[in-house]
């Protein structure tokens, strides 16, 4: 996977503190970065029914590998080589593969903090449900995932954020996983930094 160079959008910011300020509050890139290959000469396979754990130090390309396998690379990243399913090469952007391959991001901050855990799961299920799915089927799926992830006791608790008290960090991580499990069409599940916060 080739990552292009990044030019500083705020060249006047040379001070580290000012650079961090620009990145945090304006979303502007203030640091230059040369182009590089984050994954080079990587190959492997996973058999049907297997669980695979990818280990590596920070910045070694674990997240990029998962995104490449799930067809979820950034627009600026370029994938060289092929990803195959049962020996058939997949196109770079394959919507049917994306529906089959659920990707759980390392970021838990994408939830609506005012929705309860149950409402979050129900909303996720409704977003991906086919037209002929009944509300009872959605409710059954929500309860099944809640029980499977050990979240039944916090079903009516808001997810929360830094300004609104809600579920714990480990529970929020499981909420992120549960959202992706709402899909009944997923056959492959890629979990990025899945163990972060699970001690709670």
């Amino acid at each position: 996977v080739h990552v292009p160079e990044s030019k500083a959008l705020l060249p006047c910011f040379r001070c580290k503190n000012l650079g961090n300020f620009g990145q945090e509050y304006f979303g502007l890139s203030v640091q230059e970065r040369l182009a590089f290959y984050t994954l080079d000469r990587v190959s492997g396979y996973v058999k049907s029914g297997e669980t695979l754990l990818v280990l590596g130090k920070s910045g070694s390309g674990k997240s990029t590998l998962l995104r490449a396998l799930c067809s979820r690379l950034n627009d600026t990243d370029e994938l060289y080589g092929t990803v195959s399913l049962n020996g058939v090469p997949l196109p770079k952007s394959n919507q049917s593969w994306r529906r089959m391959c659920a990707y759980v991001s390392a970021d838990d901050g994408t939830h609506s903090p005012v929705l309860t855990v149950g409402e979050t799961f129900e909303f996720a299920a409704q977003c991906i449900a086919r037209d002929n799915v009944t509300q009872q089927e959605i409710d059954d799926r929500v309860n099944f995932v809640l029980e499977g992830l050990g979240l039944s006791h916090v079903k009516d608790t808001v997810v929360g954020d830094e300004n609104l008290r809600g579920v714990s960090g480990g529970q929020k991580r499981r909420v992120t996983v549960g959202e992706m499990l709402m899909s009944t069409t997923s056959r492959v599940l890629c979990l990025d930094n899945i163990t972060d916060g699970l001690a709670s």
Side-chain angles (χ1 to χ4, degrees), residues 115-130:
L115 291 180
T116 66
V117 173
E119 290 169 342
T120 300
F121 284 0
E122 183 177 350
F123 178 71
Q126 289 172 344
C127 285
I128 58 178
R130 300 180 307 276

Side-chain angles (χ1 to χ4, degrees), residues 51-73:
T51 300
L52 176 68
L53 177 65
V54 180
L55 297 174
K57 65 180 182 177
S58 181
S60 62
K62 302 181 299 296
S63 296
T64 304
L65 174 62
L66 287 179
R67 290 198 313 271
L69 294 176
C70 296
S71 295
R72 285 172 173 82
L73 286 173

